[in-house]
Amino acid sequence: MGMELHAEQSDYAEMENVEISDTMLFYHVRGALKSAVEGDPDKYKQLVTVMGPDECLVPEKVALMVTCLKALSGSVSCLDIVHHQSLISSILKMSMWNYGTDVMDALMELVISLATFSGQYVDLCLEMLVSNFMPPDSFISLLNQSRGILRKGQVIHHVHKTLIFIAELVPLSPLRLERIITERMPHIFTKEPLILIYVENMLKLESGEIGDRVGRTMLLAIMDRLIDLDVDIAWDDILQEDFTKGIFDMELEDLEGPVDVGQQDGDELRISWMERYFSGNLNAQKLDSLMVLTFEHLNFCKESGRLRQVFDTLLQSFQQTVLTAYKSKFAQFVLFYACSLDPENCGRRFADTLFHKFKTSRYPEWRMSAVAYLASYLARAKFLPISFVAEYLESLLEWCSIYCSNQSGGINPKAHKEFYAAFQAMMYVLCFRMRSVLAVPHIRSRISKHIEDILRHPLSPLMVCLPSIVEEFLRLAKVTRLDVPDNFVSSNLLESELSMAFGGRERLDMFFPFDPCLLMRSDRFIRPNFVYWSMVRSSYDNDEDDDEGTSDEDEIEICTAGKGMNIANDGAARSYDQDLDEFDNEMSKMSITPKVAQWFGGELRTDMQMPSRIRPCPDSL
Amino acid sequence: MEALKECCANIVVYLHPSKAKKVEASVYRQLSSLLFKFNESLDGVVLTYEPKFSSNLAKILPGIHPYFGVRFEAKLLLFHPKPDMLLEGEVVKVGQQSIHIIVLGFSSAVIADEDIREDFKYKIKHGKEVFVSRSHKKHRIKVGTTLRFSVKNFDEEILHICGSLVPSNTGSIQWLETKAEESQAYSITEKRIGNKRAAELLEPANIVSYRKKLKSENHIKKSRRSKSRDS
């Protein structure tokens, strides 16, 4: 191997004629470093020039760089952080994204030598590696090209290999690494490709060889960033000017006109609406992409048998940040998806945690949030066995019964807001699951007795809870022949003053966290395990028809103990595509999710009746 | 191994009032935050702790949040490497310019080539990098060797040790122990040889002759005494 330290182009030709062994090269570089300390910086300056940034990377320059990097790897003992500051700074500023694999190899070798040689270089080297998680701005446009994808793979491979190597030689380096990664994590306003690639690196670390040491911090940091993005998207952003300004839509009548829209039109409309919505909201797009990354990672964890371990961290993060955030809209679907991957363990633990939080939390708002999460989860999770749902319904009812037995006063929404939240949660779950739950005789009798006792109590939950839910609950109770006192007067309102009072300023009375996910790409993961209101509602509607005419022999919602809930539509098996088509139509029903009139027919209905009430879905009638 | 010491420390931990119900768990939590970090007041890195509560009384600090100070005694195991101390660790990487070691599973140490005594020569044998002693061919340092080295300096921030193999009592522990055993065995052999020479003198034949000699001496003495008595 030959080498000539002079960087000038004129010297390259000379270099070819000079044969220097590796050992001589090391001595040469060491000599340059030592002479800089002794006050003769000429050779040292040449070395710094070689390592400096250069727009034009001719092969000779690359060869010289590789040679110098290798020589420096063998001379780290001669480096002095004060005297050779400019050289160290030049090396650590190098971006691997700008070089080929030969330079990457040599650079990583040097970084390992530096980091393992002295404690003072550890943080600097780790920071350099973390900065290589993201490409320079000039490279972003290449990320979608094959060349960019190839380079991305090479850089990620080299960076992670180096981090693992350093961790093997410096066992405490992962502790420093997790601090550096969380501190340098891009904020929510960073460009989407950059934040995506950074999180991709974090997830790779989580599942990698040092994942047992840094993985937990990575997941917590990612969940925190998801929440940051989530809370940055206000409902006002979702509801653009066209969309009746901030009204939570539960109206179904609006669907009457365009129910016969074709499936392909439905898809197109849905996509066009999503595009329209997302085009104005970059943070929603970022959140969607990050959630997809997280879902894919959870899938990978399941395949590698690590889901339970990862779920522990997710659950902790949920309790610390998601549950305590004000009306999180999307981030909670990470938990929902993890539960769907392992309903037996994760699914149960999530519900256990929520119920425990509801019973024991110190803050009423957290308790109300927890029970709202529980209700929404039990109602929407298709993968939960009906026996499991019934178990929690009974627990909720028992809690409500005990609460009632300890109270003697009358209606007071503010004082008893946890009670009203719990009873509303119970009604909400029953709206979705009533037929399946009541199909089991002993459960039916127990639930029926509890409900009757609670409804006859002076606290009068039916007067306080959201009228729209109460009305739907009573209607379904009538259909399923559940004995409930029928003294409720339909107000035809979505909400009432009393419900607003118990919901408080935060409007936790109208918090249903697992309403259909509005993020288009994330929805692909959630949809197969999600119960849409139309899927449930159509069965009751048929039942109502049957009541009027023949018998209810066409049981549509079938309870299969231990295997979750089987829901068919109109006696026919629903295909995934059909579900997808109906996504637009159904995601607003029995939900607080804003509904978009344009999905159907493309015409904006400016005369929407709000607040509205739940009515039978037209396409299921 | 040097650099490990046990000490008893009188500690006061100030806890938030919300932790009043679980004082012990909170104290353990506080103590665990000391682990694997250099503590200047203790002058070392805490490796283990064992608190002992002698009283259930705590001093409440006045203020908006009335923190309370829990006083207890803790037995601590500290790691405090100082220059010239001898440490032991496992070699994890051998290179021409350095040997990398991990001490007690958490502290990294490096010995630069200039701190490796000239007796050691860098070689690549069967594709593996080793340092072999020129004077004792069996004295080798390779990945997996448990190495004894002396401390040059200690980075308290990252717990990184700069070591040296210059002192003659450093090197592969296996070899050093074998050498020590051999020298011990040699000294035992020497002693045995010494004893053997002594025993040889006590052999029956010698004893007889010696006895005879003694007898004759005694006899002479006796005769002298008898002579004197006689006289």
Side-chain angles (χ1 to χ4, degrees):
Chain A
M1 184 168 62
M3 184 217 159
E4 173 57 61
L5 279 176
H6 294 280
E8 287 79 13
Q9 290 283 336
S10 57
D11 292 334
Y12 292 141
E14 190 189 336
M15 187 179 72
E16 289 169 11
N17 300 324
V18 180
E19 286 296 325
I20 305 175
S21 71
D22 279 1
T23 317
M24 288 173 72
L25 179 69
F26 289 141
Y27 284 123
H28 196 92
V29 171
R30 284 183 174 209
L33 296 174
K34 280 176 183 169
S35 59
V37 178
E38 288 158 4
D40 176 16
D42 288 349
K43 289 179 183 174
Y44 170 73
K45 278 182 181 170
Q46 289 166 6
L47 206 55
V48 175
T49 313
V50 174
M51 292 300 146
D54 198 339
E55 292 297 317
C56 180
L57 280 171
V58 291
E60 289 84 358
K61 162 88 180 172
V62 172
L64 189 62
M65 192 178 266
V66 171
T67 312
C68 289
L69 285 170
K70 284 185 175 174
L72 280 167
S73 304
S75 315
V76 284
S77 59
C78 300
L79 277 172
D80 184 281
I81 202 161
V82 178
H83 290 97
H84 305 122
Q85 193 181 0
S86 52
L87 179 65
I88 294 168
S89 169
S90 298
I91 293 165
L92 296 177
K93 274 182 190 165
M94 286 171 79
S95 173
M96 280 196 278
W97 295 82
N98 295 331
Y99 303 99
T101 49
D102 42 1
V103 177
M104 282 185 208
D105 286 332
L107 184 58
M108 290 303 98
E109 195 185 330
L110 174 57
V111 169
I112 290 170
S113 300
L114 268 178
T116 56
F117 188 77
S118 171
Q120 58 191 345
Y121 297 123
V122 174
D123 281 1
L124 292 173
C125 291
L126 293 177
E127 278 171 12
M128 181 262 190
L129 290 167
V130 172
S131 70
N132 273 287
F133 277 8
M134 295 187 291
D137 283 350
S138 56
F139 201 90
I140 293 175
S141 56
L142 297 174
L143 281 173
N144 294 326
Q145 297 172 17
S146 57
R147 189 183 134 216
I149 293 168
L150 179 70
R151 180 64 58 85
K152 179 185 156 190
Q154 289 167 345
V155 172
I156 290 179
H157 170 76
H158 278 82
V159 167
H160 286 265
K161 202 173 141 190
T162 309
L163 287 173
I164 290 166
F165 212 95
I166 293 173
E168 280 172 9
L169 299 181
V170 187
L172 292 179
S173 67
L175 285 177
R176 330 261 317 167
L177 178 66
E178 60 183 15
R179 183 184 53 79
I180 292 168
I181 289 178
T182 45
E183 279 176 6
R184 287 178 157 249
M185 195 168 179
H187 52 72
I188 58 170
F189 302 109
T190 312
K191 287 175 186 165
E192 188 184 335
L194 296 179
I195 195 167
L196 267 181
I197 222 165
Y198 196 91
V199 170
E200 200 179 327
N201 275 286
M202 289 172 80
L203 291 173
K204 192 173 168 64
L205 271 179
E206 196 280 327
S207 57
E209 286 180 40
I210 52 172
D212 53 342
R213 282 176 274 177
V214 299
R216 199 173 151 275
T217 311
M218 298 299 108
L219 284 174
L220 291 174
I222 292 169
M223 283 302 287
D224 286 353
R225 194 54 85 244
L226 290 181
I227 275 290
D228 288 346
L229 284 163
D230 190 311
V231 295
D232 195 63
I233 306 163
W235 282 116
D236 290 345
D237 293 344
I238 298 170
L239 298 165
Q240 296 170 7
E241 279 185 21
D242 307 345
F243 303 151
T244 62
K245 292 167 188 170
I247 297 168
F248 294 111
D249 185 12
M250 293 175 73
E251 186 171 279
L252 304 183
E253 289 90 337
D254 296 330
L255 313 180
E256 283 170 2
V259 280
D260 54 350
V261 171
Q263 286 185 1
Q264 67 278 19
D265 291 344
D267 263 350
E268 284 167 16
L269 284 168
R270 173 173 169 263
I271 290 163
S272 69
W273 178 79
M274 288 289 190
E275 279 173 357
R276 186 175 173 188
Y277 157 53
F278 284 129
S279 63
N281 201 321
L282 292 173
N283 280 351
Q285 286 179 354
K286 283 178 206 167
L287 181 61
D288 196 12
S289 304
L290 287 181
M291 282 183 60
V292 168
L293 259 186
T294 316
F295 291 156
E296 285 168 351
H297 182 73
L298 289 175
N299 252 328
F300 176 71
C301 291
K302 192 202 172 187
E303 283 163 16
S304 52
R306 295 178 51 249
L307 186 63
R308 287 186 187 193
Q309 179 195 336
V310 167
F311 190 75
D312 283 341
T313 312
L314 290 180
L315 205 53
Q316 188 197 339
S317 169
F318 174 80
Q319 292 179 72
Q320 284 174 355
T321 52
V322 184
L323 185 68
T324 53
Y326 173 65
K327 286 190 177 178
S328 166
K329 294 168 281 298
F330 308 109
Q332 62 269 28
F333 279 99
V334 172
L335 272 294
F336 188 93
Y337 186 66
C339 291
S340 74
L341 293 174
D342 184 5
E344 285 292 314
N345 179 50
C346 302
R348 178 169 281 277
R349 283 176 55 207
F350 185 49
D352 284 346
T353 306
L354 288 171
F355 193 56
H356 178 75
K357 204 81 185 168
F358 164 66
K359 286 196 297 182
T360 60
S361 183
R362 229 176 296 155
Y363 307 103
E365 287 75 21
W366 290 10
R367 296 177 69 179
M368 290 169 77
S369 279
V371 83
Y373 270 104
L374 181 66
S376 200
Y377 173 63
L378 293 175
R380 299 290 191 171
K382 203 174 180 177
F383 47 85
L384 291 179
I386 214 67
S387 57
F388 180 84
V389 177
E391 186 188 319
Y392 274 94
L393 275 174
E394 282 190 70
S395 302
L396 273 175
L397 278 168
E398 271 174 31
W399 185 90
C400 290
S401 289
I402 294 167
Y403 190 92
C404 284
S405 62
N406 292 329
Q407 302 296 329
S408 53
I411 293 175
N412 188 343
K414 281 186 181 170
H416 306 293
K417 50 188 173 185
E418 294 102 321
F419 165 74
Y420 292 120
F423 194 78
Q424 180 171 296
M426 187 279 303
M427 285 195 292
Y428 185 79
V429 179
L430 274 180
C431 285
F432 279 82
R433 307 280 200 172
M434 194 176 286
R435 175 186 294 281
S436 317
V437 168
L438 299 183
V440 187
H442 67 275
I443 296 177
R444 183 189 180 96
S445 61
R446 282 206 298 264
I447 286 183
S448 179
K449 188 181 175 305
H450 275 309
I451 289 178
E452 204 176 332
D453 291 346
I454 297 165
L455 292 185
R456 291 190 193 285
H457 193 273
L459 285 174
S460 303
L462 291 185
M463 300 293 288
V464 179
C465 294
L466 279 179
S468 48
I469 290 180
V470 172
E471 197 180 336
E472 185 65 19
F473 168 73
L474 291 176
R475 197 185 68 77
L476 295 177
K478 194 178 167 189
V479 172
T480 52
R481 299 185 188 89
L482 183 72
D483 293 330
V484 290
D486 197 8
N487 56 356
F488 175 76
V489 182
S490 173
S491 61
N492 214 16
L493 288 172
L494 172 70
E495 55 191 313
S496 65
E497 278 186 19
L498 290 170
S499 73
M500 286 165 75
F502 99 78
R505 199 160 48 101
E506 296 86 5
R507 296 312 312 273
L508 290 171
D509 57 319
M510 294 188 74
F511 182 43
F512 302 101
F514 291 115
D515 269 357
C517 182
L518 281 173
L519 301 174
M520 191 166 63
R521 291 170 61 208
S522 303
D523 179 61
R524 181 163 57 91
F525 292 84
I526 301 299
R527 167 168 292 275
N529 295 301
F530 198 81
V531 176
Y532 289 91
W533 174 238
S534 69
M535 297 155 77
V536 180
R537 185 56 202 266
S538 59
S539 70
Y540 293 117
D541 293 336
N542 280 347
D543 214 37
E544 271 186 329
D545 293 345
D546 290 341
D547 281 351
E548 287 168 14
T550 57
S551 67
D552 55 353
E553 58 191 1
D554 296 327
E555 292 269 331
I556 290 159
E557 189 189 321
I558 305 157
C559 172
T560 50
K563 290 181 180 176
M565 191 168 76
N566 283 350
I567 298 167
N569 192 14
D570 298 330
R574 295 171 63 93
S575 71
Y576 178 81
D577 290 337
Q578 279 172 321
D579 286 346
L580 201 70
D581 294 335
E582 288 181 12
F583 172 77
D584 314 330
N585 310 17
E586 313 306 340
M587 74 181 204
S588 62
K589 299 166 196 171
M590 199 60 197
S591 76
I592 58 163
T593 309
K595 195 190 69 61
V596 187
Q598 279 87 336
W599 297 347
F600 310 100
E603 288 177 12
L604 180 70
R605 295 173 65 112
T606 50
D607 56 341
M608 292 171 107
Q609 304 162 24
M610 296 303 295
S612 68
R613 59 199 164 82
I614 297 168
R615 287 264 182 88
C617 173
D619 59 350
S620 63
L621 285 171
Chain B
M1 187 172 82
E2 296 175 33
L4 284 175
K5 71 174 177 188
E6 230 180 31
C7 76
C8 274
N10 293 317
I11 299 176
V12 183
V13 171
Y14 291 96
L15 298 177
H16 190 270
S18 65
K19 308 291 178 195
K21 273 189 176 176
K22 35 192 176 182
V23 171
E24 201 168 317
S26 308
V27 166
Y28 272 96
R29 197 181 170 84
Q30 284 289 321
L31 284 172
S32 72
S33 69
L34 297 175
L35 290 174
F36 303 116
K37 284 175 197 157
F38 187 84
N39 191 304
E40 281 186 11
S41 4
L42 296 168
D43 190 30
V45 182
V46 179
L47 299 183
T48 63
Y49 53 80
E50 192 186 336
K52 194 180 172 185
F53 301 94
S54 51
S55 162
N56 58 357
L57 297 175
K59 188 180 176 185
I60 297 172
L61 295 182
I64 299 168
H65 297 294
Y67 276 75
F68 57 99
V70 181
R71 198 177 286 275
F72 59 93
E73 192 179 85
K75 198 191 278 182
L76 305 170
L77 178 66
L78 298 175
F79 178 60
H80 67 122
K82 302 278 177 212
D84 298 327
M85 273 186 178
L86 288 178
L87 295 185
E88 290 164 14
E90 189 187 347
V91 176
V92 285
K93 190 190 169 196
V94 173
Q96 192 167 8
Q97 279 77 38
S98 55
I99 298 172
H100 296 266
I101 307 131
I102 290 180
V103 181
L104 295 171
F106 72 92
S107 179
S108 55
V110 68
I111 301 168
D113 56 351
E114 63 225 25
D115 297 316
I116 300 172
R117 61 178 180 264
E118 296 221 337
D119 182 41
F120 283 108
K121 188 183 176 187
Y122 173 79
K123 278 185 179 178
I124 298 178
K125 281 205 162 187
H126 309 296
K128 290 179 180 173
E129 295 172 290
V130 285
F131 274 94
V132 185
S133 166
R134 288 187 174 93
S135 51
H136 302 93
K137 297 289 179 193
K138 285 186 180 175
H139 191 182
R140 292 177 180 193
I141 298 167
K142 57 184 178 183
V143 172
T145 302
T146 310
L147 194 71
R148 182 176 293 151
F149 62 96
S150 73
V151 178
K152 268 184 81 179
N153 60 57
F154 178 55
D155 185 329
E156 293 165 358
E157 179 73 19
I158 188 93
L159 311 186
H160 184 92
I161 300 161
C162 188
S164 167
L165 275 179
V166 174
S168 58
N169 57 347
T170 57
S172 163
I173 285 190
Q174 196 185 357
W175 187 84
L176 289 171
E177 283 178 355
T178 313
K179 190 187 161 194
E181 279 170 16
E182 276 175 7
S183 61
Q184 199 179 355
Y186 179 76
S187 63
I188 289 168
T189 315
E190 282 284 291
K191 275 184 185 174
R192 277 182 188 165
I193 292 166
N195 291 341
K196 199 177 172 183
R197 280 175 189 158
E200 274 171 7
L201 292 172
L202 295 171
E203 272 177 7
N206 294 337
I207 290 167
V208 171
S209 60
Y210 190 69
R211 276 178 185 165
K212 279 181 181 174
K213 195 181 172 184
L214 280 176
K215 259 188 179 178
S216 64
E217 279 178 2
N218 285 344
H219 177 71
I220 294 164
K221 280 178 185 173
K222 196 180 175 182
S223 65
R224 276 181 189 170
R225 278 179 203 155
S226 60
K227 273 181 183 176
S228 62
R229 277 178 198 161
D230 293 343
S231 62

